[in-house]
Amino acid sequence: MRGFLASSIGVTCATALAVPLTPPAAAATSAPPAPPPPTRTTAQPGPEVPGSTRSLPLAPLTADRAPGAASQGLPRRDVRKFSLVGIVWDDAGAELHGRVEVRTRATATGTWSHWQRLETHNADHGADPGTAESDSGRVRGATAPLWVGESDGVEVRVRAEGAAEASRTAASPLPAGLRLELVDPGKGATPVTVPPAPAEGRPRATAPAAEAATGGAVGGTTQGAAEATAASRANVGQAPLGATEIPALSRSETVAGLAARHGASPRSPHVGARPKITTRRGWGADEQLREKGFVYTKKVRAAFVHHSATGNNYRCSQAPSVIRSIYRYHVRSTGWRDLGYNFLVDKCGQIYEGRAGGVSKPVLGAHTLGFNSDSMGIAVLGTYSDGEPSAAALKAIARLTAWKLGLYGMNPNGKTYLKSGGGNLYRKGKKVRLNVISGHRDGFATNCPGQKLYGKLGTSRSKAAQYQGR
């Protein structure tokens, strides 16, 4: 998807941050494990695999059996349990002009849901054109994922829409290689106490036992353990190695911490108090999934706010499972090097670390196509095209941006310039004047972060500036 058509579903978000010392050079990357091979057979009962992705090819639903038939899907069937669904296809540059719907059967009740629609326009999330992540050869086209809760049955239908069919060849109204992705987030690891280490503030020194031994996944490898350690070490200075939580600090403690690290008072005292952040260990990231190492941009000049478009039918206690599912979908299904967002926020206002590399560092994300450099992406879990975002989530956005943008001397209520990496609003290389806190739609023609959330960003800007002492 590149354009935004008023007659189509609005593009949705499918879709880093301490003190800016000289950032590490972009680390070498390696390919993530290949996704499981597709299968056309009905799933048979068997042992459940915690944390898994199953890929099932779609087939024509009509007499037209040609590839790219205008109506494809999957008849109702039993499958191993899953909690999140999405549709992917082979060519990341191809658009799905049509309607994608799924219905699922709840494991707990055996009840089938009504038909639920997936957001088809999702290419506005992703790495900037021409970057190593974008040109890896592994990136696929994809819908936004949808959280459905624990389920063990599924039915899918994909139909090309009339206006879209007219603009495409009759032989291929839908992208080639359509597949259903069924994601099981697995279970979070059990935290255990670890010896405390010196760190800023009052860190909570806990680490998941399973991750300590296996790198965050059942059957983990030495590489997984090494990457789990590396991801945790990137936050040393904010919390001890192995911490599941980076504790909140007062504003005076935050400023004092900056002064201690720089050996003098920071040039700008306009920085908000550091909020509490659940680390990747805290939400149970399987560090074997992502590519090795971290990639950084120069600084953080802006924050783009997104909605995850995964639906609002989740409890806050399920947020770590939702995030593990999105992470797995971004890496195994979509082909990105890691989770696309730098931070995520649930409807209770809890903040979570996203892409690995350190919460205070300028980690290069894959959240706003064309504007990932010198920015960070914050996704509020849920869909806010019609639903109102919670006051707690809005407060969390303000507190997070007051802190992170303050570390880089940015005024949340101000303007900044970013150079476009290419997109459907701005040509590559164009310098664009944007709000320091922008919505995804400000950098790309998309519905994201949903009209209801977008309409609240003015309040978030002013509150963040207040938290910085402006």
Side-chain angles (χ1 to χ4, degrees), residues 329-416:
Y329 185 76
H330 281 183
V331 177
R332 294 297 296 270
S333 301
T334 309
W336 299 350
R337 74 183 313 274
D338 193 355
L339 182 61
Y341 308 114
N342 298 106
F343 294 94
L344 303 99
V345 174
D346 69 26
K347 56 190 174 185
C348 290
Q350 177 60 48
I351 301 168
Y352 302 84
E353 178 184 14
R355 181 165 287 207
V359 296
S360 65
K361 299 175 184 177
V363 177
L364 180 66
H367 50 82
T368 305
L369 192 142
F371 289 99
N372 290 304
S373 293
D374 295 342
S375 73
M376 68 178 186
I378 304 167
V380 182
L381 297 179
T383 303
Y384 299 103
S385 301
D386 299 310
E388 292 284 349
S390 68
L394 295 173
K395 183 177 181 179
I397 293 171
R399 290 202 176 279
L400 175 58
T401 53
W403 171 68
K404 185 61 180 283
L405 293 170
L407 297 177
Y408 293 83
M410 300 305 296
N411 179 354
N413 214 17
K415 303 281 187 179
T416 191

Side-chain angles (χ1 to χ4, degrees), residues 108-128:
T109 64
T111 302
W112 284 87
S113 71
H114 61 280
W115 286 103
Q116 300 183 78
R117 193 168 181 177
L118 275 65
E119 298 287 359
T120 58
H121 297 112
N122 190 43
D124 50 323
H125 304 87
D128 290 344

Side-chain angles (χ1 to χ4, degrees), residues 22-257:
T22 303
T29 62
S30 63
T39 174
R40 290 182 181 272
T41 59
T42 301
Q44 298 299 321
E48 295 179 345
V49 181
S52 63
T53 302
R54 189 160 191 232
S55 185
L56 301 174
L58 304 189
L61 295 177
T62 65
D64 179 7
R65 311 301 293 181
S71 180
Q72 297 186 38
L74 194 70
R76 184 183 296 194
R77 66 167 60 186
D78 298 335
V79 292
R80 285 196 300 265
K81 72 180 182 68
F82 66 95
S83 296
L84 179 138
V85 299
I87 299 292
V88 301
W89 53 92
D90 295 338
D91 182 3
E95 299 176 32
L96 197 166
H97 295 289
R99 187 181 184 95
V100 179
E101 295 175 307
V102 300
R103 57 187 308 206
T104 56
R105 184 180 62 202
T107 304
T109 64
T111 302
W112 284 87
S113 71
H114 61 280
W115 286 103
Q116 300 183 78
R117 193 168 181 177
L118 275 65
E119 298 287 359
T120 58
H121 297 112
N122 190 43
D124 50 323
H125 304 87
D128 290 344
T131 60
E133 183 171 5
S134 176
D135 296 342
S136 67
R138 299 186 302 273
V139 179
R140 306 174 186 90
T143 67
L146 178 68
W147 174 262
V148 295
E150 188 172 293
S151 304
D152 59 7
V154 68
E155 184 177 4
V156 182
R157 61 190 186 193
V158 181
R159 292 191 175 97
E161 293 183 343
E165 289 181 67
S167 67
R168 297 170 66 88
T169 66
S172 184
L174 291 173
L178 288 172
R179 299 188 299 283
L180 170 67
E181 302 289 288
L182 301 174
V183 180
D184 173 13
K187 303 296 183 183
T190 302
V192 297
T193 301
V194 298
E200 207 175 87
R202 301 170 298 277
R204 173 179 162 189
T206 57
E211 287 178 358
T214 68
V218 175
T221 65
T222 301
Q223 176 183 324
E227 289 305 310
T229 300
S232 183
R233 184 176 291 119
N235 285 318
V236 169
Q238 308 293 325
L241 189 65
T244 59
E245 180 182 285
I246 295 171
L249 297 177
S250 67
R251 187 162 177 263
S252 61
E253 288 173 325
T254 302
V255 172

Side-chain angles (χ1 to χ4, degrees), residues 295-320:
V295 180
Y296 297 89
T297 184
K298 293 180 180 179
K299 64 177 300 183
V300 179
R301 302 182 62 86
F304 286 97
V305 178
H306 305 254
H307 65 177
S308 65
T310 47
N312 302 320
N313 188 28
Y314 72 94
R315 301 185 303 275
C316 291
S317 61
Q318 294 176 309

